């Protein structure tokens, strides 16, 4: 058996799993999106693009698309801004607490979505810790949950651990000697960071941002649990159509639309970062 | 004139002493090699000079000025790192110009001086290449050009040749020495390779367990080691123990003559292979030993013989130019001799 | 796309269906899990099984929507025999031919049922439980106890109100009640939307998590929309803190119907269970246990239990005759009006 054949053979389990767990459901989804829902809510088996046409003609679809993109891009950016110094510190520290800190940084992954939201309510609620502190210094109540602000905070927090991990993985090849070299050549620490370290971490930054963006745009738990019914994004619309109004064709069509949107964005990102690297 | 002075530099990591009271001085324009086995503290010493590590105690003086409290970017010391630490996202020219930019040199002058530095190391044609497009030797030269471009007070080199293969290492070693002498940079060079240290340095400081075991010229260190460690670490030797008695060393039933021996006491004896001759029939020497050839290694210019003698195994180098070495076989008897002044001894 | 999204959709699509049982086994009943399961098992399923004629096995489901998902994916080989779910969802199952049509000829007990119970199921299975929309409130904060929905419009409850907005059917029910009170016709909701828009700034959440009852108990809100049976449960558990209001404006039924799955492997047992579940005995037992309204008019409910359900005459008089099948057709437009006219007026 040639080396090449062996390589293909080794990929088979993963390919089989991918087919079973992703491609097959996607095919079902694509088929479902071509059905229709009658006025009475009944599922009608047919082959038509009526569901897509209805979605495309509804201004709300475009509003939700815009809101989803803005929300996800914003959360990805803030998650990155928060994660970057943390990841850089974790990468550099020689402290014996390093592992503990690393675990703390990704701890949110270990808590269920619901548990996290209950925690956030205690912190961000109208009677929560933040508002109690604001009242104590004579400031008025800030609405920090059950609105877009709450979703931005919750979503940023929930994607940040992934961003930290992506950055840490990307920092792997960063040579600490480079900043020392810059220092011996007369660069002040901040200057050395901006001229040497930062440019070298750009690929990690770009990958981390994309990961955060993809996770944020497909998240439905946080917008659903922290939005107070005021936040409509693609993922919550899909969830509602699938489980509340039982309009499966609409849920499927929206899913396909979201998938295509993501693929286009990822291709654009790939092209841009390849161009930047060249 | 003394340019760089280290005074009692001391550094410990987590209670474990790494550098213990290193003091030395380097003359302007000369090259000092810090030579020692790994873990002896030589790289830590260099990093303290560069300001990349703070000493626990001691001072670093440049032209009599104490630079110990200064951050590395204020020291104006050119450093060539073992891994070169070139900036991978910049061209060779940009790497070299970086330090000039940091020192506020205007753009035009920067470009000119970077080009000069690259020309100095023979890489003028590769200015626009990224580090990953250059060979190891070329990267090493860019690193040297980058360190020299800022016209540093002191040039510090941390095992700069260790990542290269043997042939290239020898070529670059004389090239670097020539460049260093041409620009007249006061330099400190860290290496574990004694041949490199002896070939390149004006002065060699042999380090052992965080201390300087001997500071001297290459010849001093090689011919007149001051401690058994230096004698062992620098160069090969026959080595055996004995008792001083009546102006000679008693060892293996033999009397080995040496200069300046004490009246009595245990001594440790070293003899360099290049000082030992093979005695032909009828030849005499102040010290003569009969032995049996145990092994012969042909290395090119010389054949290295291992000879079993009453004092132990003795290495001898035999020139190969006349071809006579080919007649020798393991198991043959052989007679060795050397002068009394070539016997190196230490009171044990 | 993120795995959770796929997981949700595939789960909704019913790919995670339970494995098939052998036929002639107990009929498999799919309905809500949690406290509903505990109590329904105790007072309906166990007594039925104890009679010995046929057996039924309880399969805990999630939401009505996910139950419909299971029926849809098992259309060609049903693994379930009886299903109890929300009437609006059951209507889809009926229209899609997933459940059987039921006539008084095959199920004489139908003639004992309340007319709304018959109409609630259309040609398919009839209502087995009535629940109705209530307003729950913090009885420690709202003194004296409110009688009207209007209590929530008081400015002092700003930010203290939870309303489950459409597509949740609580939101649809609330709109219909207000429309009926405003115009005498639950379908004519313009006035209701104007009033809801005024309420909107007081609303803290349109999608309470985990639910309105718990938000009252943890002091997050003071008023919430709810269902009577669940509200009565929380009323008892909280020693009366959760107050339950059947508004003077009226209420609407939330109806659960019972259906036999088309092509059920255990059809006889399924029909036998349906007949028992609709009988006065079972209806009385479950109403007195969980305060769901009985759908069999012959059921003799104890007065104190009746007062806490829609069974008592004065409560029943307040139930608006709402046709959920007609409501489903209005749902999309009401859903949009909520988003555009109500929720957008309440940015926080």
């Amino acid at each position: 058996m040639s080396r090449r054949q062996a390589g293909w053979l080794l990929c088979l389990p993963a390919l089989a799993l991918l087919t079973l767990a992703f491609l097959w459901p996607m095919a079902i989804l694509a088929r479902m999106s071509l059905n229709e829902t009658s006025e009475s809510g009944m599922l009608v088996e047919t082959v038509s693009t009526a569901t897509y046409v209805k979605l495309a003609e509804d201004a709300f679809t475009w509003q939700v698309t815009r809101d989803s993109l803005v929300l996800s891009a914003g959360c990805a950016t803030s998650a990155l801004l928060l994660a970057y110094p943390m990841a850089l510190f974790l990468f550099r520290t020689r402290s014996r607490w390093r592992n503990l800190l690393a675990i703390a940084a990704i701890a949110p992954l270990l808590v269920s979505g619901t548990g996290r939201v209950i925690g956030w309510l205690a912190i961000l609620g109208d009677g929560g810790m933040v508002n109690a502190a604001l009242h104590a210094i004579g400031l008025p109540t800030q609405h920090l949950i059950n609105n877009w602000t709450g979703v931005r905070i919750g979503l940023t927090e929930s994607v940040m651990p992934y961003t930290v991990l992506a950055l840490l993985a990307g920092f792997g090849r960063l040579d600490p000697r480079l900043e020392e070299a810059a220092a011996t050549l007369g660069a002040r620490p901040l200057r050395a960071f901006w001229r040497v370290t930062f440019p070298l971490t750009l690929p990690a930054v770009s990958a981390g941002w994309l990961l955060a963006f993809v996770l944020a745009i497909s998240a439905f738990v946080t917008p659903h649990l922290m939005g107070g019914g005021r936040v409509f994004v693609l993922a919550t619309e899909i969830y509602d159509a699938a489980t509340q109004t039982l309009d499966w064709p609409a849920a499927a069509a929206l899913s396909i639309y979201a998938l295509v949107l993501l693929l286009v964005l990822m291709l654009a990102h790939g092209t841009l970062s390849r161009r930047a690297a060249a | 004139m003394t340019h760089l002075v280290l005074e009692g530099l001391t550094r410990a990591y987590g209670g474990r002493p790494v550098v213990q009271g290193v003091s030395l001085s380097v003359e302007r324009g000369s090259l000092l090699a810090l030579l020692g086995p790994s873990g002896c503290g030589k790289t830590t010493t260099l990093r303290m000079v560069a300001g990349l590590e703070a000493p626990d105690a001691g001072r670093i003086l440049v032209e009599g000025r104490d630079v110990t409290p200064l951050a590395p970017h204020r020291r104006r010391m050119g450093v060539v790192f073992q891994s070169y630490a070139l900036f991978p996202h910049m061209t060779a020219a940009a790497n070299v110009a970086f330090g000039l930019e940091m020192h506020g040199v205007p753009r035009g002058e920067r470009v000119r001086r970077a080009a000069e530095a690259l020309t100095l190391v023979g890489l003028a044609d590769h200015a626009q290449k990224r580090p990953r497009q250059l060979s190891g030797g070329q990267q090493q030269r860019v690193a040297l050009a980058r360190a020299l471009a800022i016209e540093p007070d002191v040039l510090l080199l941390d095992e700069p040749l260790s990542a290269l293969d043997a042939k290239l290492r020898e070529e670059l070693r004389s090239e670097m020495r020539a460049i260093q002498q041409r620009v007249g940079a006061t330099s400190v060079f860290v290496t574990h390779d004694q041949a490199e240290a002896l070939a390149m340095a004006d002065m060699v400081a042999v380090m052992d367990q965080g201390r300087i075991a001997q500071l001297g010229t290459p010849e001093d260190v090689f011919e007149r080691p001051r401690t058994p460690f230096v004698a062992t670490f620098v160069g090969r030797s026959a080595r055996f123990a004995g008792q001083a008695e009546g102006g000679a060393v008693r060892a293996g039933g033999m009397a080995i003559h040496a200069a300046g021996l004490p009246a009595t006491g245990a001594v440790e004896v070293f003899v360099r292979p290049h000082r030992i001759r093979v005695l032909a029939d009828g030849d005499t020497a102040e010290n003569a030993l009969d032995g049996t050839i145990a092994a012969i290694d042909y290395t090119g210019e010389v054949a290295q013989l291992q000879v079993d003698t009453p004092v132990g195994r003795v290495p001898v180098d035999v020139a190969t130019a006349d071809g006579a070495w080919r007649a020798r076989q393991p198991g043959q008897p052989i007679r060795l001799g050397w002068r009394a002044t070539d016997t190196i001894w230490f009171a044990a | 796309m993120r795995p959770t999204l796929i997981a949700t959709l595939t789960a909704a699509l019913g790919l995670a269906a339970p494995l098939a049982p052998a036929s002639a086994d107990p009929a498999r009943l799919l309905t809500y899990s949690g406290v509903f399961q505990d109590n329904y098992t105790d007072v309906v399923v166990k007594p039925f099984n104890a009679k010995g004629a046929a057996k039924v096995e309880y399969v805990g489901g999630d939401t009505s929507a996910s139950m419909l998902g299971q029926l849809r994916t098992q259309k060609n080989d049903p693994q379930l025999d009886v299903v109890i779910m929300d009437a609006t969802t059951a209507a889809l199952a009926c229209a899609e031919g997933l459940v059987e049509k039921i006539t008084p000829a095959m199920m004489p007990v139908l003639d004992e049922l309340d007319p709304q119970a018959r109409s609630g199921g259309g040609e398919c299975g009839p209502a087995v439980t009535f629940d109705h929309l209530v307003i729950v409130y913090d009885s420690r904060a709202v003194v004296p106890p409110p009688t009207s929905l209007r209590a929530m419009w008081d400015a002092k409850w700003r930010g203290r109100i939870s309303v489950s907005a459409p597509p949740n059917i609580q939101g649809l029910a609330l709109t219909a009640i207000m429309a009926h009170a405003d115009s005498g016709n639950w379908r004519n909701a313009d006035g209701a939307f104007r009033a809801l828009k005024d309420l909107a700034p007081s609303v803290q959440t349109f999608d309470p998590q985990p639910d309105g009852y718990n938000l009252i108990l943890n002091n997050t809100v003071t008023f919430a929309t709810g269902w009577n049976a669940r509200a009565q449960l929380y009323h008892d558990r909280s020693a009366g803190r959760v107050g339950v209001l059947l508004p003077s404006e009226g209420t609407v039924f939330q109806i659960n119907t019972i259906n036999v799955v088309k092509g059920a492997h255990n059809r006889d047992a399924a029909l036998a269970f349906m007949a028992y579940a609709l009988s006065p005995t079972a209806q009385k037992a479950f109403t007195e246990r969980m305060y769901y309204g009985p759908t069999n008019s012959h059921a003799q409910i104890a007065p104190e239990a009746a007062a806490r359900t829609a069974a008592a005459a004065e409560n029943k008089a307040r139930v608006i005759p709402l046709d959920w099948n007609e409501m489903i057709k209005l749902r999309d437009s009401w859903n949009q009006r909520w988003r555009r006219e109500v929720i957008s007026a309440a940015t926080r």
Side-chain angles (χ1 to χ4, degrees):
Chain A
M1 182 162 37
S2 79
R3 191 168 217 155
R4 197 160 164 177
Q5 282 170 321
W8 275 107
L9 218 61
L10 285 172
C11 288
L12 266 183
L15 284 175
L17 193 69
L18 193 69
T19 309
L20 214 65
F22 183 72
L23 295 179
W24 179 239
M26 286 316 296
I28 295 178
L29 214 55
R31 174 65 193 92
M32 178 58 75
S33 71
L34 299 176
N35 288 333
E36 283 180 35
T37 299
S38 76
E39 195 197 6
S40 62
M42 200 175 97
L43 179 62
V44 184
E45 294 238 3
T46 174
V47 177
S48 95
T49 55
T51 307
Y52 286 100
V53 171
K54 201 168 93 190
L55 285 173
E57 283 174 348
D58 187 351
F60 191 69
T61 308
W62 304 111
Q63 173 75 42
V64 167
T65 305
R66 203 158 44 241
D67 288 350
S68 300
L69 292 175
V70 170
L71 173 73
S72 312
C75 287
T77 306
S78 41
L80 195 68
L81 289 175
L82 292 168
Y84 192 95
M86 190 168 3
L88 198 62
F89 174 76
L90 280 174
F91 177 71
R92 284 184 177 169
T93 183
R94 296 274 169 270
S95 159
R96 75 182 98 174
W97 302 107
R98 184 175 195 259
N99 285 339
L100 206 67
L101 289 168
I103 290 169
I106 60 166
L109 297 181
L110 309 173
V111 184
S112 76
T114 323
R116 226 168 34 222
V117 170
I118 290 170
W120 275 128
L121 202 62
I123 296 167
L124 302 176
D126 290 356
M129 280 159 50
V130 173
N131 274 310
L134 289 176
H135 292 164
I137 55 170
L139 292 172
T141 301
Q142 299 294 313
H143 298 308
L144 301 171
I145 199 165
N146 289 327
N147 54 13
W148 281 94
T149 310
V151 174
R152 279 186 212 110
I153 295 172
L155 209 49
T156 298
E157 187 250 13
S158 79
V159 300
M160 202 170 69
Y162 295 97
T163 320
V164 170
L165 288 178
L167 288 175
L168 274 178
F171 289 172
R173 285 169 301 171
L174 209 56
D175 182 356
R177 294 278 177 271
L178 295 181
E179 268 191 33
E180 292 186 353
T184 63
L185 292 165
R188 279 171 289 112
L190 207 62
R191 203 91 192 271
F193 171 78
W194 277 115
R195 288 295 309 278
V196 176
T197 306
F198 184 69
L200 290 172
T201 57
L202 277 179
V205 164
S206 150
W209 189 89
L210 183 71
L211 181 70
F213 178 82
V214 169
L215 291 175
I217 204 166
S218 54
F220 88 93
V221 173
T222 304
H224 175 62
L225 295 183
M226 293 181 76
R230 290 179 175 86
V231 171
F232 306 107
V233 290
L234 284 171
T236 56
E237 287 305 291
I238 293 168
Y239 179 81
D240 278 351
T243 67
Q244 298 276 319
T245 58
L246 293 171
D247 189 347
W248 286 7
L254 270 174
S255 302
I256 299 283
Y257 166 63
L259 185 70
V260 170
L261 196 68
L262 260 190
L263 283 178
V264 168
L265 287 169
M266 285 170 77
L267 280 177
H269 178 270
T271 313
L272 280 178
S273 44
R274 256 198 308 283
R275 197 166 294 167
Chain B
M1 193 187 103
T2 301
H3 190 182
L4 171 71
V5 176
L6 314 189
E7 275 181 11
L9 281 187
T10 298
R11 174 82 165 127
Y13 290 130
R16 193 175 55 87
V18 175
V19 176
Q20 310 185 60
V22 166
S23 298
L24 51 79
S25 57
V26 186
E27 295 298 302
R28 174 173 294 284
S30 75
L31 191 156
L32 171 100
L34 280 175
L35 173 66
S38 61
C40 72
K42 57 190 190 297
T43 292
T44 304
T45 303
L46 189 85
R47 288 173 59 80
M48 287 192 282
V49 176
L52 300 172
E53 304 220 11
D56 297 334
R59 297 199 304 165
I60 297 148
L61 306 167
V62 177
E63 298 195 68
R65 195 164 45 91
D66 185 358
V67 302
T68 323
L70 297 184
H73 65 274
R74 299 186 186 282
R75 289 200 186 185
R76 216 180 174 94
M77 294 199 182
V79 182
V80 176
F81 290 83
Q82 185 170 9
S83 58
Y84 315 140
L86 295 178
F87 306 132
H89 57 304
M90 299 182 194
T91 61
N95 263 280
V96 176
F98 182 86
L100 299 171
E101 184 190 340
M102 295 301 126
H103 284 95
V105 175
R107 190 179 170 78
E109 190 186 342
R110 221 150 70 200
V111 171
R112 185 178 54 75
R113 280 170 62 183
E116 277 172 19
L118 281 171
T119 307
L120 181 71
V121 298
L123 284 179
D125 294 343
H126 299 280
Q128 294 313 313
K129 286 188 181 165
R130 297 278 172 96
R132 65 167 182 276
Q133 297 168 301
L134 299 171
S135 71
Q138 289 168 337
Q139 290 181 33
Q140 203 280 337
R141 281 185 272 199
V142 174
L144 181 63
R146 183 176 70 174
L148 287 172
I150 59 169
E151 292 174 356
D153 280 338
V154 175
L155 181 64
L156 305 171
L157 306 110
D158 184 8
E159 305 252 12
L161 300 171
S162 64
L164 304 172
D165 60 52
K167 179 106 175 107
L168 195 57
R169 197 152 61 211
E170 277 189 33
E171 269 176 40
L172 269 174
R173 141 174 130 190
S174 42
E175 194 179 315
M176 278 178 70
R177 173 64 166 158
I179 291 169
Q180 183 263 332
Q181 285 178 331
R182 198 178 325 153
V183 301
T186 306
S187 306
V188 178
F189 182 106
V190 161
T191 181
H192 66 275
D193 181 336
Q194 46 124 342
E196 213 166 272
L198 298 183
M200 292 177 69
D202 297 303
M203 295 289 279
V204 176
V206 183
M207 285 190 71
D208 177 27
Q209 295 179 23
R211 300 173 201 278
I212 292 182
Q214 184 169 357
L215 175 62
T217 64
E219 198 185 352
D220 277 341
V221 168
F222 187 74
E223 300 287 359
R224 290 174 288 281
R226 275 219 317 258
T227 69
F229 171 80
V230 176
T232 313
F233 188 74
V234 183
R236 294 169 299 138
S237 31
R239 176 181 184 176
F240 51 91
Q243 284 288 328
E245 196 182 310
V249 179
R250 298 279 162 198
M254 308 286 296
I256 306 296
H257 299 282
L261 275 174
T264 65
V267 291
E268 201 171 0
V269 174
F270 292 82
V271 187
R272 297 290 193 206
H274 73 290
R275 296 288 178 185
I276 301 174
R277 286 184 300 134
V278 177
L279 300 181
D281 284 349
D283 277 3
T284 58
E286 289 166 321
N287 285 308
L289 270 182
D290 283 307
T292 311
I293 298 174
I296 303 173
D297 291 331
Y298 174 75
T299 64
E301 287 93 342
V302 295
Q304 297 180 343
L305 272 52
Q306 299 291 335
V307 178
D308 285 333
T309 72
V311 297
R313 185 159 284 192
V314 174
V316 188
D317 289 353
V318 181
T320 53
D322 60 4
W325 70 280
R326 275 187 238 114
R328 305 199 183 274
Q329 295 292 331
Q332 286 177 347
I334 190 168
R335 192 170 162 79
L336 307 175
W338 70 89
R339 293 180 301 173
T341 50
D342 290 336
T343 306
I344 303 166
W345 61 268
F346 302 97
Chain C
M1 194 174 320
R2 197 179 175 183
T4 48
L5 210 60
I6 306 254
T8 307
L9 281 164
T10 47
L13 289 168
L15 290 179
L19 290 174
S23 63
D25 281 338
R28 288 165 60 84
L29 163 68
L30 174 69
T31 186
Y32 310 104
S33 46
V35 279
F36 190 98
Q37 175 166 5
D38 299 341
N39 289 305
Y40 204 70
T41 302
D42 264 7
V43 301
V44 183
V45 173
K46 275 185 185 162
F48 172 75
N49 287 344
K51 291 199 305 173
K55 296 241 187 292
V56 70
E57 182 192 342
Y58 201 111
V59 180
D62 189 10
T63 61
S64 293
S66 72
M67 295 183 211
L68 177 64
Q70 291 192 38
L71 296 186
R72 279 179 176 173
T73 50
Q74 294 174 10
K75 186 171 186 175
N76 297 320
D77 180 22
Q79 306 300 316
L80 298 157
D81 302 291
V82 192
V83 59
I84 294 176
M85 58 179 166
D86 181 73
T88 57
T89 315
L92 295 180
C94 187
E96 291 174 25
L98 300 170
V99 293
E100 282 200 32
K101 297 199 160 60
I102 303 290
T103 62
M106 59 195 281
M107 186 69 51
V109 72
L110 289 192
D111 290 329
E112 297 175 13
L113 301 187
D114 182 285
Q116 273 216 50
R118 285 287 293 280
S119 64
E123 290 180 292
C124 295
V128 68
T129 66
F130 285 145
D131 206 349
H132 58 269
L133 189 86
V134 294
I135 300 300
V136 286
Y137 59 93
D138 187 345
S139 63
R140 291 187 195 168
V142 190
V143 183
T147 57
S148 160
L149 288 175
R150 282 283 153 188
M152 296 193 290
W153 271 254
D154 190 327
K156 84 177 157 184
W157 307 124
R158 216 183 160 92
R160 304 288 303 171
I161 290 167
S162 156
V163 176
S164 296
N168 190 307
I169 60 175
Q170 281 182 14
L172 298 174
L174 179 66
T175 316
I177 293 165
M178 289 172 60
H180 181 78
D182 173 62
S183 67
N185 179 354
W186 66 265
R187 299 163 195 83
N188 181 4
D190 289 348
F193 275 107
R194 274 195 298 278
L196 285 167
K197 187 174 176 177
D198 290 341
L199 178 65
S202 285
V203 176
Q204 169 163 153
T205 174
F206 289 100
D207 187 8
Q209 299 295 339
D211 56 40
Y213 321 103
N214 279 296
L215 291 188
I216 288 175
L217 290 175
N218 70 20
N219 271 327
T220 305
V221 301
T222 306
F223 284 96
T225 53
W227 296 117
N228 180 64
R230 192 52 63 106
Q232 298 292 347
L233 181 78
Y234 276 97
H235 174 82
D236 290 349
R237 282 188 182 170
S238 65
R241 180 171 176 195
V242 172
V244 185
L245 163 67
L246 197 168
S248 56
E249 288 84 351
T251 186
V252 297
F253 275 147
Q254 180 272 328
I255 299 171
N256 284 318
T257 63
I258 183 165
N259 274 288
V260 172
V261 177
K262 188 173 273 181
H265 293 302
N266 304 298
R267 181 167 181 270
D268 292 345
L271 286 167
F273 180 74
M274 181 195 261
Y276 180 75
L278 295 168
S279 71
T281 322
Q283 289 284 313
K284 174 179 162 65
F286 196 54
T287 295
E288 289 174 1
R289 173 63 77 95
M290 273 207 90
Y291 309 110
Y292 278 92
T295 61
N296 189 316
S297 346
H298 296 196
Q300 298 297 310
I301 309 298
E304 66 273 21
R308 295 176 70 178
T309 70
E314 73 274 18
N315 290 349
K316 195 153 192 181
R318 292 198 214 156
V319 178
I320 297 161
L322 178 145
D323 178 355
W324 278 105
N325 292 317
E326 208 180 330
M327 167 72 90
I328 292 304
K329 293 174 186 156
L330 289 174
R331 182 174 61 184
D332 264 358
S333 93
W334 281 19
N335 198 355
Q336 293 200 4
R337 289 188 72 176
W338 266 87
R339 287 179 175 179
R340 286 169 188 167
E341 298 172 30
V342 182
I343 297 174
S344 63
T347 48
R348 223 170 100 87

